[in-house]
Amino acid sequence: MKLSKFLNQIDYFDGNHNFLSTITVVLIAGLISCLFLLIFAYLDIKLNNQKN
């Protein structure tokens, strides 16, 4: 009985850790993509201003 409770707690924390890791990776990827979009938008505006 005690062993099964211990294993259930390990599975819960492992699942919770995997969920948090997935959210962290998705957030970091989203922030990096937003950073690239901002850089490209800035460069596009800068190049368009040089043409005019």
Side-chain angles (χ1 to χ4, degrees):
M1 188 75 169
K2 289 182 181 180
L3 181 62
S4 65
K5 284 184 179 180
F6 181 71
L7 291 175
N8 284 338
Q9 286 179 352
I10 290 176
D11 288 338
Y12 171 73
F13 285 119
D14 187 40
N16 195 17
H17 177 69
N18 286 339
F19 180 69
L20 291 176
S21 295
T22 304
I23 288 178
T24 305
V25 168
V26 169
L27 284 177
I28 289 173
L31 288 174
I32 290 173
S33 62
C34 286
L35 180 66
F36 277 112
L37 285 174
L38 286 173
I39 290 171
F40 288 134
Y42 172 75
L43 290 175
D44 186 45
I45 290 171
K46 192 174 180 181
L47 289 174
N48 281 337
N49 284 341
Q50 286 180 355
K51 287 180 184 177
N52 295 334

